[in-house]
């Protein structure tokens, strides 16, 4: 799976939420991220991360582990 993410500064978040609400039903989720690295900081040095994300939603709570796949490793 290829994942793309766009981050933007939103100056009128309530307006954006109102417009989205006109087009689709939304749901509230609370994310808690915990990041891990080796003692020597080698993950950060390679611009990589090991993240455990816990998502608390209206119907359940789930935990997801995100790490770099071997096929996605950067060439040295």
């Amino acid at each position: 799976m290829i994942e793309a993410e766009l981050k933007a500064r939103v100056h009128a978040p309530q307006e954006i939420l109102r417009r989205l609400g006109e087009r689709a039903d939304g749901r509230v989720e609370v994310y808690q991220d915990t990041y891990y690295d080796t003692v020597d900081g080698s993950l950060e040095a390679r611009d990589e991360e090991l993240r455990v994300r816990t998502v608390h939603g209206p119907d359940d709570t789930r935990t997801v582990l995100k790490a770099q796949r071997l096929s996605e490793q950067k060439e040295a």
Side-chain angles (χ1 to χ4, degrees), residues 36-49 68:
Y36 296 91
D37 200 346
T38 58
V39 174
D40 65 358
S42 64
L43 290 176
E44 183 177 1
R46 294 190 312 259
D47 195 28
E48 297 175 1
E49 62 186 26
Q68 184 182 31

Side-chain angles (χ1 to χ4, degrees), residues 1 9 11 14 16 20-21 25-26 28-29 34-36 38 42 47-48 51 54 56 58 60-62 64 70-71 76:
M1 173 177 83
R9 187 173 309 273
H11 298 285
Q14 294 304 319
I16 298 295
L20 287 170
D25 292 331
V28 175
E29 295 182 339
T34 304
Y35 294 87
Y36 296 91
T38 58
S42 64
D47 195 28
E48 297 175 1
R51 178 186 74 204
T54 302
H56 305 278
D60 68 340
T61 296
R62 60 194 179 280
V64 179
L70 292 177
S71 63

